[in-house]
Amino acid sequence: MKKQALVIGLGQFGLAVARALSVRQAEVLAVDIDEERVRTASLFVTEAACFDATDEAALARTSPERRDVCICAIGDEAKEASILCTALLKQQGARRVIARSNDDLHARILTLVGADQVVNPEREFGERFANQILHVDIRGELPLGDGLLISEVAVPPSFVGPTLGELQLPRRFGVTVVAIRKRASGTVVMPRADLAFEAGDVMVVVAGEQVVTRMLERS
């Protein structure tokens, strides 16, 4: 059965979420008060509707209680609306509500009114991108939740030669290698204790926030 998602607020973040969910075969109902944004979303979502999501009766007609996830992506121009919409979604039985915040106070209020998860996409992207600016060996990062990141990292020169078992990366740095892209062949291989890095290899690792940065600074 396809996942059912409700996305409210179709700015850049909301549209991107709605599109990504649709690509992943979720049935998405996209909502915004702006007709042009609704028309844009209607090109790729299952259904798009134009109304004020702070209208309790109108919101109830979207059946939040039947959705697998409800995303309140209302932008920073309408904090009060995002708080009210989040509260209404929970009051109407939404099982899981993800709300977009713009600052710490906004995030705390969204949590207090019932948001199951609060995200600040601009801050999270900025923090991840800062690592790539400061460390060119970090090719990309993806949050896994609970403070964990999956990172694509160019293998430091000091790691070339010894085997993975000899490097003892989990013990020394708290880093777990989950895949290696070999420069010579371009193939992706699974890590083995007897496998040695070669110059130009790229490793995919799972680690806590800032752990990879500290590893690169010490290696």
Side-chain angles (χ1 to χ4, degrees):
M1 181 180 294
K2 291 185 177 181
K3 295 288 187 180
Q4 303 283 324
L6 171 63
V7 179
I8 299 171
L10 302 175
Q12 289 186 345
F13 174 65
L15 277 176
V17 170
R19 187 187 301 274
L21 290 171
S22 297
V23 167
R24 289 160 177 78
Q25 304 303 309
E27 293 187 357
V28 178
L29 169 56
V31 174
D32 198 281
I33 200 169
D34 184 282
E35 292 184 359
E36 183 60 35
R37 291 178 177 181
V38 171
R39 280 195 292 270
T40 299
S42 69
L43 299 175
F44 51 83
V45 300
T46 308
E47 184 180 357
C50 183
F51 65 85
D52 183 353
T54 65
D55 181 326
E56 186 173 359
L59 186 63
R61 287 194 288 272
T62 67
S63 301
E65 75 282 357
R66 293 170 45 202
R67 310 286 170 178
D68 294 289
V69 62
C70 298
I71 300 102
C72 181
I74 296 173
D76 56 8
E77 72 280 2
K79 290 183 181 180
E80 291 182 3
S82 75
I83 294 166
L84 179 55
C85 179
T86 298
L88 287 174
L89 286 169
K90 292 303 291 186
Q91 290 171 19
Q92 294 177 1
R95 287 176 277 176
R96 182 184 178 206
V97 176
I98 300 174
R100 175 191 177 183
S101 74
N102 306 294
D103 53 51
D104 291 340
L105 176 59
H106 189 200
R108 290 198 297 272
I109 296 173
L110 288 169
T111 300
L112 286 172
V113 299
D116 299 288
Q117 182 178 350
V118 177
V119 297
N120 185 324
E122 291 85 0
R123 174 183 292 177
E124 291 171 11
F125 175 78
E127 290 174 350
R128 293 198 302 274
F129 191 55
N131 282 338
Q132 297 176 54
I133 293 172
L134 296 174
H135 299 277
V136 295
D137 289 333
I138 298 179
R139 306 292 177 80
E141 292 183 322
L142 179 70
L144 294 178
D146 297 325
L148 290 176
L149 296 173
I150 185 166
S151 306
E152 191 176 47
V153 187
V155 171
S158 61
F159 289 5
V160 174
T163 66
L164 275 174
E166 292 168 340
L167 285 170
Q168 299 185 50
L169 299 182
R171 182 186 64 80
R172 293 170 59 199
F173 303 109
V175 168
T176 300
V177 180
V178 295
I180 301 166
R181 188 169 72 244
K182 303 299 291 182
R183 179 186 181 186
S185 62
T187 58
V188 176
V189 300
M190 298 299 293
R192 303 190 314 269
D194 61 348
L195 185 66
F197 287 123
E198 299 173 348
D201 285 352
V202 173
M203 56 182 175
V204 179
V205 304
V206 175
E209 295 178 2
Q210 302 302 319
V211 170
V212 170
T213 297
R214 291 194 292 270
M215 177 187 73
L216 292 173
E217 291 172 346
R218 292 166 54 188
S219 60

